[in-house]
Structure formats: C-alpha cells, structure tokens
Amino acid sequence: MKSKFIPEDLKTRCSWCLGFAEYVTYHDTEWGVPVYDDRIHFEFLVLESAQAGLSWSTILKKREGYRNAFADFDYEIVAGFPESYVQELLQDKNIIRNVLKIRGAINNAKRFMEVQLEFGSFSNYIWGFVGGKPIQNSLKSMENAPATTPESDRLAKDMKKRGFKFLGSTTLYAHMQATGLVNDHLVDCFRYKDLRS
C-alpha cells in the first residue's frame, strides 16, 4: 500500500488530502474558499463533470492539461468549440478523452452563459441556493460528510432543467464543497477556523 504524503509543517488537515503534495496545496489554498468569480466556477464545473467515475486526484493531475485544452476555462470560447476541435480533444492525453464529457463541457458553457444573462452572473445564481453565505458544517470525520444535501438536490434539479449535463447532485455537492458554498473541512483541520471566520 502506498504511504501517505505527510507535509513537514505537521498541521492537522482533512485526511483525504494526504495523497500527494499537489493535493495538500489544493486543500490548503483552494478547497472550501468561497468563490464568486464565474470563470473559476466554470473551471470547477468542467473538472468535476470530467471526474464522474474517477478520483479527484486523477483530475487534479490533469488540471493543467484542461487549462490548455479548454482555453483557460473561458466559457465564451468553449461554447464555440467546433466539432473538429472535439475530435482534436479526443486525441489529447492530457485530459479525460471521453466524447460525452467533452461535448457536455461545451454544452455546459452555453447553458452557463444563459444563466449569466438571467441572473447577472453564475455566482449570483449558485449562491442563491445557500442563501448567499457558506453553510458551516461541523464534521468530525469525513465519514460524516454527506454525498448530497437538499441544497445540492435542488441545484442539480434546476441545472438539469436548464440543460446542464454530467452535473448530478453528488457532483454538485463536491462543487459546493470546493467553491466554499459549504465548509466541510473537519473541525480539527487548521483550515476549518480560517474559513469559518
């Protein structure tokens, strides 16, 4: 069995991030930090929809590949990707080469901009599902973390109705955790208090 990566600073962290150095950096600097920038929301939606059936560590390792292949997550450019570029992406070993996920990301870019037109920004839209402020959980172990919540269920139902693909309730709860709509750091994790204040 592969040993866990233990950072030298010995801070208490959520156990899920102790796999490799980039995972720890992601946990310490990004995961759970409230996001209001639409481009970052779109980035996470692309990455999380690509994750379906895979580990998040697999996707994180391909993040730079996605950044290059998906125009630095510029949803306006992604929405206009032609079929010829879809065929190019299917040859790109730096991303997940699944035609349905690739086409789903292009579709989602179009739906994303429709939401922006209606709500002023995607951020306004998604934060509305949590009343505009992060939900503060008090998890003592990751076993207590839910896979879905009533909020993620409502969000998934609404996004499906709007035509988004590959974004069910479990995936969208992961999005809520990643982008700080919910604070699911363990209570003994050093980031928990940082993000609670």
Side-chain angles (χ1 to χ4, degrees), residues 41-52 104-105 107-109 111-112 122 125-126 152-161 163-175:
H41 273 295
F42 183 69
E43 173 178 0
F44 276 104
L45 291 175
V46 169
L47 296 175
E48 286 147 0
S49 64
Q51 185 197 348
N107 167 76
N108 290 349
R111 306 295 78 83
F112 190 90
F122 184 85
Y125 164 75
I126 198 166
S152 69
D153 290 345
R154 280 199 311 276
L155 177 59
K157 186 176 178 185
D158 192 71
M159 288 180 75
K160 183 176 182 181
K161 187 176 76 182
F164 285 87
K165 309 276 186 201
F166 284 98
L167 293 170
S169 188
T170 302
T171 300
L172 287 169
Y173 190 67
H175 182 85

